[in-house]
Amino acid sequence: MKLYNLGHRYRWEWSQLLYHALPRLGMEGVILISPSSPYTCIGYHQDARQEIDLDYCRQAGIPVFRREVGGGAVFLDGRQLFFQIILSPQNPLARLDKAMLYQRMLEPIVRTYTDMGIPSRYRPINDVVTEAGCKICGTGAAQIIDSTVIVGNLIFDFDYETMSRVLRVPDEKYRDKVFKSMQENLTTVRRELGYVPAEDEAAATMVRRFEEVLGRLEPAQ
């Protein structure tokens, strides 16, 4: 399987478009990428006007993108390292039920965080959490064309304030509740360790752990 370890070298759109493109080309692969600039991403079935403060995003210059993966709206930037796995229908892993697929694909992330010094565990059906139970990875899965796609991220750091700002909420009091809830339930590498390790070292660890499940990953352009 091909490995596309792309870092921060490409425009933010690439962090979404590549894993949408590979299924249309009939290609498998693992993509590691961080967006070069911030954006807001909404789930496939969401109504952007109901979920996102589009006026604020326009004023702040924050693009909004609809992915072909379900889940909720999220603010994303270069402080997260995305992993995106594209499996062909012939791959035995693609034939697993959703719960087992998540467990197999998220175990490398659990081990990566633990290797970094943040003991973590898998929580069904699609969460990676710390020992204290705080979420530390956003994940999703979908069928795109005939391929099975699993996406997620290593959260080095997170802009809770902007995340709470891009969401459409009934009033500012409710926005404060959203902000506090995120801080209580979502943690980051910086919060857990007090610093952010080198991204290339974290990526190398993640590749090694993914190879335990996917086999040899061949670097590709």
Side-chain angles (χ1 to χ4, degrees):
M1 187 179 292
K2 301 288 188 182
L3 169 67
Y4 304 91
N5 191 356
L6 304 177
H8 294 264
R9 288 174 288 169
Y10 299 93
R11 287 174 55 88
W12 70 266
E13 295 99 317
W14 286 61
S15 67
Q16 293 291 328
L17 296 180
L18 288 176
Y19 76 82
H20 288 85
L22 262 64
R24 289 168 165 83
L25 297 171
M27 297 171 62
E28 288 196 318
V30 174
I31 302 166
L32 303 183
I33 189 169
S34 294
S36 59
S37 57
Y39 66 99
T40 298
C41 191
I42 64 171
Y44 185 61
H45 299 289
Q46 289 190 302
D47 183 335
R49 291 169 296 182
Q50 292 185 6
E51 303 292 339
I52 300 297
D53 187 335
L54 293 175
D55 289 337
Y56 171 79
C57 287
R58 276 191 286 266
Q59 293 166 7
I62 300 173
V64 179
F65 183 94
R66 180 189 302 281
R67 62 188 181 271
E68 291 183 37
V69 178
V74 64
F75 174 75
L76 301 168
D77 61 20
R79 286 174 281 191
Q80 297 96 45
L81 175 61
F82 302 164
F83 61 88
Q84 300 155 352
I85 305 161
I86 298 90
L87 304 174
S88 74
Q90 291 76 36
N91 193 308
L93 290 167
R95 301 170 196 158
L96 298 174
D97 64 56
K98 183 170 283 189
M100 184 59 70
L101 178 67
Y102 270 126
Q103 185 172 2
R104 291 293 302 277
M105 292 296 98
L106 293 182
E107 187 59 32
I109 305 305
V110 169
R111 294 178 181 177
T112 297
Y113 274 126
T114 301
D115 291 343
M116 292 168 62
I118 307 171
S120 303
R121 56 186 171 87
Y122 166 72
R123 184 175 68 190
I125 179 175
N126 64 336
D127 281 334
V128 175
V129 298
T130 64
E131 286 186 324
C134 284
K135 187 172 179 177
I136 195 169
C137 179
T139 66
Q143 292 294 126
I144 299 181
I145 311 300
D146 293 325
S147 298
T148 298
V149 176
I150 304 97
V151 300
N153 56 4
L154 288 186
I155 306 176
F156 294 113
D157 208 349
F158 191 72
D159 189 339
Y160 297 92
E161 184 174 354
T162 302
M163 173 68 187
S164 65
R165 189 65 190 83
V166 301
L167 296 177
R168 186 175 180 85
V169 296
D171 53 49
E172 293 307 308
K173 185 175 181 180
Y174 189 87
R175 193 183 308 280
D176 289 341
K177 291 181 179 179
V178 170
F179 176 80
K180 291 176 182 176
S181 178
M182 281 192 297
Q183 284 199 316
E184 291 171 358
N185 296 293
L186 176 69
T187 191
T188 69
V189 171
R190 182 179 295 280
R191 285 179 64 178
E192 296 298 315
L193 296 180
Y195 68 97
V196 174
E199 185 174 303
D200 58 348
E201 294 178 7
T205 300
M206 186 158 48
V207 170
R208 176 168 54 85
R209 291 303 192 179
F210 271 131
E211 287 184 326
E212 295 172 353
V213 175
L214 298 169
R216 170 68 178 164
L217 296 176
E218 179 184 351
Q221 297 297 316

